Structures are given as structure tokens and as C-alpha cells.
Amino acid sequence: MGNRFTCMSKKDTKDIGSRSKRVNRSQRKLLAEEEFLHRQALSMALHQHQLSQRFDGSMSRRIGSTSSRRLADPFANGKQVPESLENIKTKKFILVHGEGFGAWCWYKTIALLEEAGLLPVTFDLKGSGIDLTDTNSVATLAEYSKPLIEYLENLEEDEKVILVGHSNGGACVSYALEHFSQKISKAIFICATMVSDGQRPFDVFAEELGSAEQFMQGSKFLIHGNGKDKPPTGFMFEKEQMKGLYFNQSPAKDVALAMVSMRPIPLGPIMEKLSLSPKNYGTSRRFFIQTLDDRALSPDVQEKLVRENPPEGVFKIKGSDHCPFFSKPQSLHKMLVEIAQIP
């Protein structure tokens, strides 16, 4: 068969050209929007990098400044009023990120705590942020929490800190309370897995994700890092699902930052049952911050957590999604300072 030629009129050619121009304009618009979001994300990441004082090894360990300098507050609409530090005995805050996140997610909280003259510290848990560990190789909560545990081990003998855990970072905080209760003056759980003895962190999310058994058998989000014939090693939600679950009230630039920074979640640590004793964990001072527009950990589930495992105090942030460090940074900051001031 020979080549096939089709004759077209000038009108046909003009119509095709018009459609092509419309498609090209639409594509250019989409590309421009994507480029705009990408530039915003890079800008946020650059801002986080500029805030950093130093890094330790492969972990993005951020040590708060001990100098007397004050940072301009880029997040308040008005002038930031410094909080009185007279009632705060422990000024060092250890910020523990949640599943899939990294040290990068705390950049607003770091700036606000420093503005108040406090000392924020944050780092990447194993297989998170810029830590080079393969997520699929992180099998236990102890391994996942290792950067936190190493930091607590290296504290001065009489030094104490305030631990702050977000989401599944709450399990790391609970683990630390069991093993280093003498080093922790207060523990603050932000819409977090404040589990009881014998409970798995995953159990907290069962209402949204189904039982652990169902999730392990049929979830489309599972990652089989060791082969399809082996047990799953991690999971990661699709971008649109992440946006709906975690960031329904967060600014677009923070969502863009998260979309290029989130990493797969190691499955082993969240499926592990915690062993928590009355002597260690049971004597710790715990506080819980609820997020009332949360779709990842609903307000009802959070109420159940504090009812079944009562903390010393409960605080609530209206209008916050699962990431108050993005959606309500000022409200979160004020609550952290208020809890720190409690005698």
C-alpha cells in the first residue's frame, strides 16, 4: 500500500490551527502553574535551609541558636510580642516529625520558638527527610527513633527537654518516655499516636484506614521493597490523597513543599506494639493538642485517645488540619509556649 494523503480545505486547516493554539495555550498555562508551585516549594525549602544553624552527619539536625539575636517573624500579620520566659524552666524543645515528613516541616515553628527566645531542635528520623537510609530497611520503632534516642543519650546528666511529637512521631515520643523519662520534663502530642501499653501506632488510624490485617492484605498504597512475594515494607499515599488527608487547610506553598519532600512511610515501626510501663511512661507529664479540622486523625479519634489514655492537659486548635505547623503556626506556637509555662 502506498502512502495515504488527505486533502483538507483552508477552513479545516484553520480549525485545526485554532484548536492547536488553544491546546498549546492550555498546556502553557498548566506548565506555568506547575512552575509557580515548584518555585514556591523551592523558596520554602531555601528558607528552611537559611534558618538552619548546622547539620550533624546525614541528618538534618537543626540546633536552635543560643545567641541573643532575634529573628524577624515572617509569619505574623502584626508585630510578634515576645512571651515572658520567666515561668519556663525547660527551654529546649525537641520537635519530632510524623510519618513521611522530615525536619523540614517544622520551619515555621522553629522561627517562632526562636523569636520567643526558646531553643528548638529537630532532625530526620531514620529513612525520613534527607536521611540516606532506605525506608524499606527500617523495620522497628527503635531503629526509626534512633536519631532521637541518640540525642537524648548525649544530653548532660542534669539536662531536661520538652518532647513534641506530631502524628506518628507520637509513638517515638512514647518510646522515648519509656526509656528516658528522667530526661524529659514534658511530652506534647500534636494530633499524635499517644498509644497505650500493648497498642500499635497503626491502631490509632484504624478508623480511616481499616484494621491492620485488612490494610496489610489489600491496600493499594503498600510498598513491597523486598519483592512482591515478601511482606510489605512501607506505604505511601498518592499525592491527591495526601492533600485531602493531611493538608485540607494548609497554604498552597506549604502543600507544594510537602509534595516534593514527603517520603514513603516504613511499615514496621507503626505495626509494632509498644511496651509502656507505669513506672516510666506512666509517671511522665503528657499534654495533647487536638486539631479540629483534621481528616487524617479525626477529632472523634483524638477525643477517644485522650479519654482512654488521659494526659495532664488537652488543648484544641480550631480550623487546623493534620498539620498545624502549616495551617495554624501561630496558634500552635502559643500552645507550645503555654504548656512550657505550666509549673
Side-chain angles (χ1 to χ4, degrees), residues 272-318:
E272 184 178 322
K273 292 183 179 180
L274 271 74
S275 179
L276 304 172
S277 68
K279 179 183 177 182
N280 296 323
Y281 177 84
T283 58
S284 62
R285 301 187 66 186
R286 292 177 290 110
F287 298 83
F288 197 96
I289 296 178
Q290 295 181 347
T291 44
L292 301 186
D293 198 8
D294 195 326
R295 296 178 182 174
L297 197 65
S298 71
D300 288 343
V301 171
Q302 294 180 52
E303 281 287 348
K304 183 181 178 183
L305 281 175
V306 301
R307 187 170 62 249
E308 294 179 348
N309 189 13
E312 183 175 328
V314 177
F315 297 75
K316 299 182 180 184
I317 303 181
K318 293 181 180 179

Side-chain angles (χ1 to χ4, degrees), residues 4-296:
R4 181 178 176 180
F5 295 89
T6 304
C7 295
M8 293 186 290
S9 67
K10 292 183 179 180
K11 181 178 181 301
D12 292 334
T13 305
K14 184 178 181 180
D15 289 343
I16 291 173
S18 298
R19 285 197 299 271
S20 178
K21 288 179 181 178
R22 285 197 299 272
V23 170
N24 288 336
R25 281 198 299 269
S26 177
Q27 287 176 339
R28 285 197 297 270
K29 184 179 178 182
L30 286 173
L31 288 172
E33 289 175 352
E34 288 179 3
E35 178 66 16
F36 175 67
L37 285 175
H38 183 63
R39 286 179 181 274
Q40 284 184 318
L42 289 177
S43 175
M44 302 302 285
L46 178 61
H47 181 70
Q48 177 205 350
H49 177 72
Q50 289 171 338
L51 285 173
S52 297
Q53 300 291 315
R54 65 182 173 87
F55 291 84
D56 181 9
S58 65
M59 296 181 292
S60 55
R61 178 174 288 175
R62 162 77 175 70
I63 308 299
S65 171
T66 56
S67 70
S68 60
R69 71 181 178 85
R70 301 192 65 78
L71 297 174
D73 181 4
F75 311 109
N77 292 324
K79 186 177 179 180
Q80 174 72 18
V81 179
E83 289 86 357
S84 170
L85 303 180
E86 294 177 3
N87 299 326
I88 300 181
K89 187 176 180 181
T90 304
K91 294 182 172 62
K92 184 172 286 186
F93 286 73
I94 312 300
L95 308 174
V96 184
H97 66 78
E99 70 285 352
F101 293 85
W104 53 268
C105 73
W106 295 109
Y107 78 95
K108 291 182 180 180
T109 304
I110 288 169
L112 291 169
L113 288 173
E114 285 192 333
E115 173 69 17
L118 298 168
L119 306 173
V121 177
T122 189
F123 32 70
D124 295 315
L125 299 174
K126 280 292 182 181
S128 305
I130 62 171
D131 181 81
L132 299 179
T133 307
D134 180 4
T135 304
N136 295 305
S137 68
V138 182
T140 66
L141 186 60
E143 187 177 3
Y144 184 57
S145 307
K146 191 175 180 181
L148 170 61
I149 300 307
E150 288 180 344
Y151 185 86
L152 294 173
E153 285 176 340
N154 290 317
L155 287 174
E156 297 295 331
E157 188 174 344
D158 58 347
E159 186 177 4
K160 288 195 172 188
V161 299
I162 296 174
L163 279 192
V164 181
H166 169 245
S167 197
N168 196 55
C172 302
V173 170
S174 296
Y175 183 83
L177 285 172
E178 179 62 27
H179 294 88
F180 295 93
S181 57
Q182 76 281 4
K183 297 282 189 181
I184 302 162
S185 63
K186 296 184 180 89
I188 304 173
F189 295 78
I190 303 173
C191 52
T193 50
M194 188 176 66
V195 297
S196 303
D197 178 48
Q199 193 176 16
R200 294 177 291 199
F202 184 91
D203 295 339
V204 175
F205 295 94
E207 185 173 303
E208 279 76 17
L209 299 177
S211 70
E213 291 73 22
Q214 290 173 328
F215 185 81
M216 292 286 283
Q217 288 175 5
S219 176
K220 64 180 180 179
F221 306 113
L222 291 173
I223 298 170
H224 293 261
N226 297 324
K228 278 287 185 180
D229 57 333
K230 299 289 174 54
T233 53
F235 71 97
M236 188 169 188
F237 297 116
E238 295 169 351
K239 287 188 176 182
E240 289 306 312
Q241 186 136 11
M242 277 196 286
K243 290 178 182 179
L245 283 173
Y246 291 107
F247 311 113
N248 50 294
Q249 295 295 338
S250 294
K253 57 188 178 182
D254 291 325
V255 178
L257 172 64
M259 291 302 99
V260 298
S261 305
M262 298 282 282
R263 288 182 63 183
I265 302 159
L267 199 56
I270 68 170
M271 291 297 181
E272 184 178 322
K273 292 183 179 180
L274 271 74
S275 179
L276 304 172
S277 68
K279 179 183 177 182
N280 296 323
Y281 177 84
T283 58
S284 62
R285 301 187 66 186
R286 292 177 290 110
F287 298 83
F288 197 96
I289 296 178
Q290 295 181 347
T291 44
L292 301 186
D293 198 8
D294 195 326
R295 296 178 182 174

